[in-house]
Amino acid sequence: MILLSELFRTKLPVLGLVHLPPLPGAPGHRFDAGEIESWVLHDVESMVKGGVDGLIVENFGDAPYYPSRVPPETVSMMTVLAGKVRSVCDLPLGINVLRNDGFAALAIATAAGAQFVRVNVYTGARLTDQGLIEGEAHVLQRYRKALGTDIKIFADVAVKHSTPLAPRTLAAELEDTVLRGKADAVILSGAATGKPTAVDAVREAKEVAAGTPVLVGSGVTVNNVDEMARHADGLIVGTAFKEDGVVTNPVSAARVREMLNRLRQHRPTD
């Protein structure tokens, strides 16, 4: 069973989201390669200075997203950028290829020396703004084995920007993700990017997950970090770290420090 304290070298780790600007081929693409790199490295530097314990690189700017496989130019650019991130800091690194390309994420992570990937729809099926997305835990686990890596799979449960096809309890979703999907960690989020995760859901997840780490994947702010920290095993933060709390803005090192200072009192010392 994965221990977050071993992977991130601390208990209750905070993972900063590196939101990539629109990449080549995306409708919003406007920066050249050098400008994209500068944007990314600025955000990475700000989060590292602020004290995060890990990073997740994701192609946030590429909306509207492909529901499954992304094109080669996206994989290539993300691999280059992930490598750049690895060259400037040694924090544990994760890869998330939106909307749901776990294969590309594992390939990029392997090439760039990342430690984990995030998969939004890992088991079951969800109705999303990209249409119906089906989980591919069965092939992702085999692909990881074929690559010969020990890259961890962090799987969302009831992921944001989606709805179930039929009523299912959170407990049932979690059990399938952990016991049958064999996820290394699970992530809970709110309804959309930046929207708060329900604390009751985090409590329930901790009970059901039976030791598998539970991370909060959206909506963590300075105002609610105390409550989230009391129940979760880790926190993933994106919007709250941005200047003025606007998701498309650059990261503010001061906002990162503010949250990490607030969180310090909740970190176990044993």
Side-chain angles (χ1 to χ4, degrees):
M1 183 176 296
I2 180 178
L3 294 176
L4 294 188
S5 58
E6 293 181 358
L7 179 58
F8 297 103
R9 302 188 287 274
T10 187
K11 295 180 179 179
L12 193 58
V14 175
L15 315 184
L17 278 172
V18 182
H19 285 150
L20 302 181
L23 302 177
H29 175 60
R30 62 191 184 278
F31 299 142
D32 64 29
E35 290 171 322
I36 292 174
E37 179 182 330
S38 295
W39 180 286
V40 169
L41 294 183
H42 167 274
D43 280 1
V44 168
E45 181 182 11
S46 296
M47 286 191 279
V48 171
K49 284 183 175 179
V52 299
D53 307 299
L55 299 166
I56 301 176
V57 171
E58 70 174 31
N59 56 325
F60 181 79
D62 283 354
Y65 308 115
Y66 288 92
S68 55
R69 305 294 173 260
V70 299
E73 62 268 21
T74 302
V75 178
S76 299
M77 195 67 182
M78 289 189 70
T79 303
V80 169
L81 293 170
K84 294 289 185 182
V85 173
R86 293 295 297 151
S87 72
V88 298
C89 80
D90 62 355
L91 292 177
L93 180 64
I95 307 294
N96 185 24
V97 182
L98 300 169
R99 169 64 161 167
N100 205 54
D101 197 341
F103 285 91
L106 282 168
I108 295 166
T110 301
Q115 286 72 38
F116 65 100
V117 299
R118 179 178 183 177
V119 181
N120 288 172
V121 182
Y122 181 64
T123 58
R126 306 284 294 184
L127 186 61
T128 75
D129 51 316
Q130 295 81 33
L132 178 64
I133 297 182
E134 297 183 36
E136 297 182 304
H138 57 298
V139 284
L140 289 177
Q141 286 283 344
R142 287 165 173 82
Y143 184 53
R144 178 171 67 171
K145 189 76 171 180
L147 289 174
T149 74
D150 190 33
I151 293 167
K152 306 304 180 185
I153 296 176
F154 289 19
D156 281 89
V157 176
V159 68
K160 56 191 174 183
H161 298 286
S162 76
T163 188
L165 299 181
R168 289 202 81 202
T169 65
L170 178 62
E173 296 273 8
L174 283 160
E175 287 174 353
D176 281 351
T177 301
V178 172
L179 299 178
R180 295 166 69 87
K182 301 185 182 301
D184 298 298
V186 295
I187 301 170
L188 298 183
S189 59
T193 299
K195 301 298 183 182
T197 304
V199 176
D200 287 345
V202 180
R203 290 195 196 100
E204 181 178 358
K206 284 282 292 178
E207 293 177 1
V208 175
T212 298
V214 175
L215 294 93
V216 172
S218 76
V220 179
T221 68
V222 170
N223 295 327
N224 68 13
V225 67
D226 294 314
E227 188 171 28
M228 293 297 180
R230 282 194 287 268
H231 303 287
D233 296 306
L235 307 174
I236 300 173
V237 185
T239 305
F241 284 164
K242 303 299 184 73
E243 294 177 2
D244 302 318
V246 176
V247 69
T248 53
N249 283 348
V251 170
S252 162
R255 291 178 69 96
V256 180
R257 281 194 297 270
E258 181 183 15
M259 184 175 293
L260 269 293
N261 288 338
R262 183 73 174 264
L263 182 69
R264 193 165 287 124
Q265 61 182 309
H266 296 283
R267 285 189 162 166
T269 57
D270 58 334

